[in-house]
């Protein structure tokens, strides 16, 4: 939608240039210094730009309807969408993806499992005290009611777990290495994508700089052609060629600008910053 909105602006610029040419040719036709066929050529080109406007508006309306379905609320076809901020300052590759927290949690869980295996195979000691009041008490020879208590130290060591401890430890170590490999593989893939995406950003920035230079040159040529058309030095067809050449340069710039914005958003998404 943003791309088509920029396309509409560019079509309006082209229409303005063609209309300027029409006015100049009309004056020449009236003075008998130009053929009406040249005027008709420009008028036909103006109608083509009107058709282009209709096509772009139709596509923009269709995409707006799709966006309305995505967000679950109605949108007017003339809605003006705000272009996302394209600020991207990359000093170092920093990954803040939620997957990294998952790997960290898995490593902690495996560490706790290892501690649990060690703990359950350790000998267990406890102190106990038991008391009561009855007849007879601890002294079986005395048939009177009396208080009594007993205490002691209990020591328990289950040797059955020692047979499986080694296998359990090995399994924990295998799981730990699996998580480490998965994490390293994820970081490798993510870093690879970031490097490629940043290379794409740099390429598009260079292309945009070049586009602006080309547009400046094409604009100068078009203005010169406008003066030449007025003086009858060139034909309407020659003038249209220069208009279309500048239009193509501006279309290329629009494409590269939106591609750069998308590449910057992709970079932030891949790094987990957006």
């Amino acid at each position: 939608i943003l791309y088509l909105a920029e396309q509409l602006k560019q079509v309006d610029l082209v229409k303005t240039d063609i209309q300027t040419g029409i006015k100049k040719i009309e004056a020449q036709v009236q003075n008998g210094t130009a053929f009406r066929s040249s005027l008709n050529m420009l008028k036909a080109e103006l109608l083509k730009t009107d058709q282009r406007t209709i096509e772009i508006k139709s596509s923009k309306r269709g995409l707006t309807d799709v966006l309305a379905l995505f967000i679950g609320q109605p949108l007017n076809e003339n809605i003006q969408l705000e272009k996302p901020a394209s600020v991207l300052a990359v000093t170092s590759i920093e990954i803040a993806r939620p997957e990294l927290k998952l790997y960290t949690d898995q490593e902690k869980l495996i560490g706790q499992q290892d501690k649990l295996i060690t703990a359950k195979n350790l000998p267990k000691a406890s102190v106990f005290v038991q008391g009561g009041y009855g007849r007879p008490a601890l002294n079986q020879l005395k048939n009177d009611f009396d208080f009594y208590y007993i205490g002691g130290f209990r020591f328990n060591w289950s040797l059955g777990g020692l047979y499986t401890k080694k296998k359990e430890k090995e399994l924990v170590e295998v799981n730990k290495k699996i998580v480490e490999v998965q994490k390293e593989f994820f970081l490798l893939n993510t870093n690879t994508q970031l490097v490629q995406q940043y290379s794409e950003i740099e390429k598009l920035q260079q292309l945009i700089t070049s586009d602006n230079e080309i547009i400046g040159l094409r604009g100068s040529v078009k203005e010169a052609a406008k003066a030449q058309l007025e003086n009858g030095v060139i034909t309407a067809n020659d003038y249209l060629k220069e208009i279309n050449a500048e239009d193509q340069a501006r279309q290329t710039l629009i494409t590269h600008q939106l591609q750069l914005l998308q590449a910057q958003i992709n970079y932030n998404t891949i790094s987990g910053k957006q």
Side-chain angles (χ1 to χ4, degrees):
I1 294 172
L2 288 172
Y3 175 75
L4 293 177
E6 294 297 325
Q7 292 275 319
L8 286 173
K9 295 178 184 178
Q10 177 54 28
V11 171
D12 289 339
L13 292 177
V14 173
K15 289 174 67 175
T16 300
D17 288 332
I18 295 175
Q19 288 168 347
T20 300
I22 289 175
K23 290 178 182 179
K24 295 182 183 300
I25 294 294
E26 282 179 339
Q28 293 176 2
V29 170
Q30 291 174 358
N31 295 328
T33 58
F35 294 108
R36 183 164 293 276
S37 59
S38 297
L39 178 61
N40 291 337
M41 180 186 297
L42 289 175
K43 288 183 176 180
E45 197 67 24
L46 183 62
L47 291 174
K48 285 177 62 177
T49 59
D50 288 336
Q51 290 180 333
R52 185 173 160 193
T53 299
I54 293 171
E55 291 176 349
I56 294 174
K57 285 184 175 180
S58 176
S59 298
K60 183 171 177 285
R61 183 170 57 251
L63 290 174
T64 303
D65 291 340
V66 172
L67 179 60
L69 290 174
F70 283 165
I71 65 176
Q73 65 183 45
L75 295 176
N76 187 285
E77 63 178 271
N78 297 320
I79 188 172
Q80 298 295 320
L81 298 183
E82 181 180 351
K83 186 180 293 186
S86 58
V87 178
L88 182 68
V90 181
T91 55
S92 62
I93 297 179
E94 181 180 351
I95 301 175
R97 291 278 290 271
E99 289 93 333
L100 292 180
K101 185 179 183 304
L102 172 63
Y103 292 128
T104 300
D105 290 342
Q106 288 178 336
E107 289 172 345
K108 290 180 179 179
L109 177 61
I110 293 173
Q112 294 299 321
Q113 291 175 341
D114 186 60
K115 292 180 180 179
L116 181 62
I117 294 172
T118 301
K120 75 177 185 179
N121 289 290
L122 291 175
K124 297 175 178 60
S126 61
V127 178
F128 69 92
V129 176
Q130 182 179 353
Y133 179 77
R135 188 180 66 178
L138 293 180
N139 188 352
Q140 299 293 324
L141 300 177
K142 186 177 180 181
N143 198 28
D144 297 329
F145 281 97
D146 196 5
F147 290 98
Y148 67 90
Y149 70 89
I150 57 174
F153 180 79
R154 182 180 292 115
F155 182 83
N156 182 33
W157 190 2
S158 177
L159 300 178
L162 296 177
Y163 295 101
T164 60
K165 179 181 178 181
K166 182 179 179 181
K167 290 294 183 182
E168 290 176 340
K169 287 275 189 178
E170 290 176 351
L171 181 60
V172 167
E173 191 63 27
V174 169
N175 290 334
K176 181 180 178 181
K177 290 181 178 179
I178 289 174
V179 173
E180 289 176 353
V181 170
Q182 289 175 338
K183 182 178 180 180
E184 289 176 4
F185 185 68
F186 171 77
L187 288 172
L188 176 62
N189 280 341
T190 304
N191 282 316
T192 300
Q193 293 175 23
L194 287 174
V195 169
Q196 292 174 341
Q197 201 64 45
Y198 189 69
S199 177
E200 180 72 11
I201 291 171
E202 288 186 323
K203 180 194 76 174
L204 290 168
Q205 288 173 335
Q206 293 173 5
L207 289 175
I208 288 173
T209 300
S210 179
D211 287 337
N212 286 319
E213 294 176 358
I214 293 172
I215 289 172
L217 294 172
R218 288 295 185 186
S220 298
V221 174
K222 183 197 70 178
E223 292 301 320
K226 190 181 297 182
Q228 291 172 341
L229 178 68
E230 187 174 7
N231 295 321
V233 177
I234 63 173
T235 65
N237 189 48
D238 294 330
Y239 177 63
L240 281 176
K241 286 181 180 178
E242 301 306 332
I243 290 178
N244 291 331
E246 185 193 26
D247 174 47
Q248 185 60 50
R250 291 185 180 277
Q251 296 286 347
T252 303
L253 174 62
I254 291 171
T255 301
H256 288 157
Q257 286 174 332
L258 268 295
Q259 287 176 340
L260 175 61
L261 178 61
Q262 186 64 61
Q264 291 171 333
I265 292 173
N266 288 343
Y267 185 94
N268 286 332
T269 302
I270 293 170
S271 65
K273 298 177 182 178
Q274 182 168 317

